[in-house]
């Protein structure tokens, strides 16, 4: 009898059930269990894998959304750096500035040293005697200069003071010498006279050089004071106002 399509004989089903039952008994007796994964174990693995895929997609989106350091637009250029990069850049600028500052100091010091050396060289050249140019020889037909005649010396001296002791006249002599008037101490009889070394015309006559010198001696002598503690003569409160001219040979 032919088998109809799509149908299974009853004895075949029975034989399959027996065969399956005998296999399970054999497996139980040998201690080997069927290792078919359960649906509960497969599901978490699938869910974990999907979560990992979603996390990777999010990371990729965040990385792609991170702004670039330099962004160029049609109308502007934008710079976007982290604070670490900005600090490093600032430190680099400070270091460059310090290098240029030190270089400028060294250059200015070198320049000033060169300038000082040039100045010192110029000063040495100024100190060194320069050779004089040879003077041209005088022409033989140059007329001789006339000899200046020496004017005759006056016949009067001016007597500044007189005293019994020459030692009292010595401070006066030094006083006038310090003011540019040279004097001498001479003895006349029993007294000593302090007279001018230079001779003049009559000091008692106005308009002469002797008259001018006598007035100068009187003006200077009014301030004379003997050395303190010397007990020399003071010649009055306003000394040497009685200076006079004396004619000499």
């Amino acid at each position: 009898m032919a088998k109809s399509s799509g149908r299974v004989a009853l004895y075949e089903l029975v034989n399959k059930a027996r065969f399956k039952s005998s296999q399970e008994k054999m497996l139980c007796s040998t201690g080997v269990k069927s290792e078919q994964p359960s649906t509960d174990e497969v599901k978490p693995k699938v869910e974990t894998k999907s979560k990992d895929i979603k996390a990777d997609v999010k990371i990729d989106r965040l990385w792609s959304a991170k702004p670039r350091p330099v962004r160029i637009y049609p109308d502007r250029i934008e710079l976007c750096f982290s604070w670490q990069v900005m600090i490093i850049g600032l430190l680099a600028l400070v270091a460059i500035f310090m290098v240029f500052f030190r270089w400028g100091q060294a250059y200015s010091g070198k320049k000033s040293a060169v300038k000082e050396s040039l100045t010192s060289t110029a000063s040495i050249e100024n100190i060194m005697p320069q050779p004089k140019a040879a003077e041209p020889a005088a022409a033989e037909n140059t007329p001789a200069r006339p000899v200046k005649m020496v004017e005759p010396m006056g016949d009067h001296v001016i007597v500044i003071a007189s005293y019994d002791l020459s030692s009292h006249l010595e401070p006066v002599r030094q006083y006038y010498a310090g003011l540019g008037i040279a004097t001498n101490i001479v003895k006349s009889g029993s007294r000593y006279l302090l007279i001018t070394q230079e001779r003049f015309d009559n000091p008692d006559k106005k308009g002469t050089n002797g008259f001018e010198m006598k007035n100068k001696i009187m003006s200077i002598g009014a301030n004379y004071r003997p050395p303190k503690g010397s007990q020399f003569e003071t010649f009055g409160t306003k000394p040497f106002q009685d200076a006079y001219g004396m004619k000499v040979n």
Side-chain angles (χ1 to χ4, degrees), residues 1-240:
M1 182 175 181
K3 293 181 182 180
S4 62
S5 60
R7 294 182 179 182
V8 180
L10 180 60
Y11 69 92
E12 291 180 355
L13 293 174
V14 174
N15 290 333
K16 286 182 179 181
R18 289 179 179 176
F19 180 74
K20 187 176 182 180
S21 177
S22 61
Q23 281 184 343
E24 289 179 355
K25 288 180 180 180
M26 290 176 66
L27 290 173
C28 290
S29 62
T30 56
V32 179
K33 294 184 179 180
S34 167
E35 295 182 356
Q36 294 181 356
S38 62
T39 57
D40 295 337
E41 293 178 355
V42 174
K43 187 175 181 181
K45 291 182 180 180
V46 174
E47 291 179 355
T48 304
K49 187 174 182 180
S50 62
K51 288 181 181 180
D52 294 338
I53 294 172
K54 290 180 180 180
D56 294 339
V57 171
K58 288 182 179 180
I59 292 171
D60 293 338
R61 289 179 180 177
L62 290 174
W63 181 258
S64 61
K66 185 178 180 181
R68 290 174 295 177
V70 180
R71 290 177 288 183
I72 301 174
Y73 297 96
D75 57 344
R76 66 184 186 278
I77 297 175
E78 292 183 358
L79 302 177
C80 182
F81 298 102
S82 62
W83 62 270
Q84 295 92 338
V85 176
M86 292 179 67
I87 290 175
I88 293 172
L90 181 62
L91 293 176
L93 288 176
V94 171
I96 293 171
F97 175 77
M98 292 298 295
V99 170
F100 278 98
F101 180 74
R102 292 294 184 184
W103 179 81
Q105 283 186 335
Y107 179 76
S108 61
K110 185 177 180 181
K111 188 175 181 181
S112 61
V114 172
K115 187 176 180 180
E116 289 178 359
S117 64
L118 292 176
T119 305
S120 61
T121 303
S123 62
I124 292 172
E125 290 178 355
N126 293 332
I127 294 172
M128 294 294 293
Q130 300 295 330
K132 295 182 179 180
E135 296 180 357
E140 294 180 358
N141 56 355
T142 302
R145 295 180 181 179
V147 179
K148 185 177 179 181
M149 299 300 294
V150 178
E151 296 180 359
M153 189 179 297
D155 56 355
H156 285 73
V157 294
I158 300 173
V159 180
I160 300 173
S162 64
Y163 202 74
D164 296 337
L165 301 174
S166 63
S167 59
H168 288 256
L169 295 176
E170 183 63 27
V172 182
R173 187 187 69 80
Q174 295 178 1
Y175 173 75
Y176 277 104
L179 297 173
I181 299 175
T183 58
N184 288 328
I185 299 175
V186 296
K187 189 174 182 180
S188 176
S190 61
R191 298 179 68 83
Y192 291 91
L193 304 178
L194 180 66
I195 63 174
T196 59
Q197 291 183 3
E198 188 176 355
R199 295 184 179 186
F200 306 94
D201 293 333
N202 189 359
D204 296 329
K205 186 178 179 179
K206 291 183 179 181
T208 62
N209 58 355
F211 185 82
E212 293 179 359
M213 178 57 68
K214 185 180 72 170
N215 291 334
K216 182 178 180 181
I217 288 172
M218 293 167 62
S219 177
I220 293 173
N223 299 321
Y224 171 76
R225 298 292 183 273
K228 292 182 179 181
S230 62
Q231 297 182 355
F232 288 139
E233 179 63 33
T234 60
F235 298 97
T237 56
K238 197 173 182 180
F240 315 125

